[in-house]
Amino acid sequence: TMMTTYDPVAGVEQPYPIINIISMIAWGLGYFGMPHILLRFMAIEDEEKLTLSRRVATIWVVISLAVAVLIGLAMSDVGALKTLTGSDSETIIVQIADLLSKHGILPALLAGTILAGILASTMSTADSQLLAASSAVSSDLFGDRVAKTGDKKKAMNAARFTLLAIAVIAAFIARDPNSSVFGI
């Protein structure tokens, strides 16, 4: 049923309220407003390619999410993976790669490809978020001053300085994954 969900901790079926369903749908709709996605669309060479890009992206998302669900169903049915709860569920892809790596050379190569894909997508998202943050901050902090001079070299240097400053701050925050930045 679409109105219930399985709680693996308690081992029972529980109601899935309509507000949770609407909330999950809203998460998907919010994806299109993310800065790193918008930057990719703004950087496209030709407006004619937007339609093709949108179609390719939509088809890819449908295929990849369907395959992800099928893999999850298959592996949980045969008991190959233990039930992950809480933040452990974030390690599912690493768990699958580890499981694959124990079954010969070809599955181990596939596991390596999966892990390389995780790293590549993480780096792509991180650099896009860093560029979006630095351009927003540099235009807010230095935009008026640099615009008055009309010097593009100063604008580029301001953006580079801001990017470096944000990267250093991010590295400082990330140095201890168990710490909390805001005490939350």
Side-chain angles (χ1 to χ4, degrees):
T1 175
M2 294 293 288
M3 300 306 285
T4 60
T5 186
Y6 177 71
D7 182 1
V9 176
V12 295
E13 183 180 29
Q14 293 183 333
Y16 200 59
I18 192 74
I19 191 69
N20 289 20
I21 294 170
I22 292 169
S23 175
M24 295 301 283
I25 292 170
W27 271 92
L29 293 175
Y31 180 80
F32 301 107
M34 291 184 177
H36 62 285
I37 303 301
L38 292 176
L39 283 176
R40 299 284 188 219
F41 278 105
M42 287 189 274
I44 202 157
E45 311 171 354
D46 184 14
E47 286 183 32
E48 303 287 322
K49 294 181 181 178
L50 280 174
T51 303
L52 176 63
S53 298
R54 186 180 64 236
R55 287 181 183 149
V56 168
T58 302
I59 291 169
W60 171 248
V61 166
V62 168
I63 290 170
S64 64
L65 292 180
V67 169
V69 168
L70 291 175
I71 289 172
L73 289 173
M75 290 198 162
S76 64
D77 271 354
V78 297
L81 292 174
K82 63 180 183 168
T83 301
L84 302 173
T85 59
S87 63
D88 286 344
S89 62
E90 298 289 330
T91 66
I92 187 69
I93 296 175
V94 176
Q95 300 279 340
I96 291 172
D98 181 51
L99 181 67
L100 284 173
S101 69
K102 295 175 182 173
H103 295 290
I105 189 74
L106 287 177
L109 290 173
L110 178 62
T113 304
I114 290 170
L115 294 175
I118 292 171
L119 184 60
S121 64
T122 301
M123 289 172 54
S124 172
T125 301
D127 79 355
S128 295
Q129 291 284 13
L130 190 59
L131 283 172
S134 68
S135 65
V137 170
S138 66
S139 67
D140 288 349
L141 291 180
F142 308 117
D144 291 340
R145 282 184 252 159
V146 173
K148 288 178 185 175
T149 64
D151 189 358
K152 290 190 183 243
K153 189 172 181 177
K154 282 186 180 180
M156 181 63 74
N157 286 337
R160 287 178 179 164
F161 170 76
T162 307
L163 184 125
L164 183 63
I166 290 174
V168 167
I169 292 168
F172 178 75
I173 292 170
R175 80 189 189 294
D176 184 8
N178 296 321
S179 69
S180 177
V181 178
F182 301 109
I184 298 173

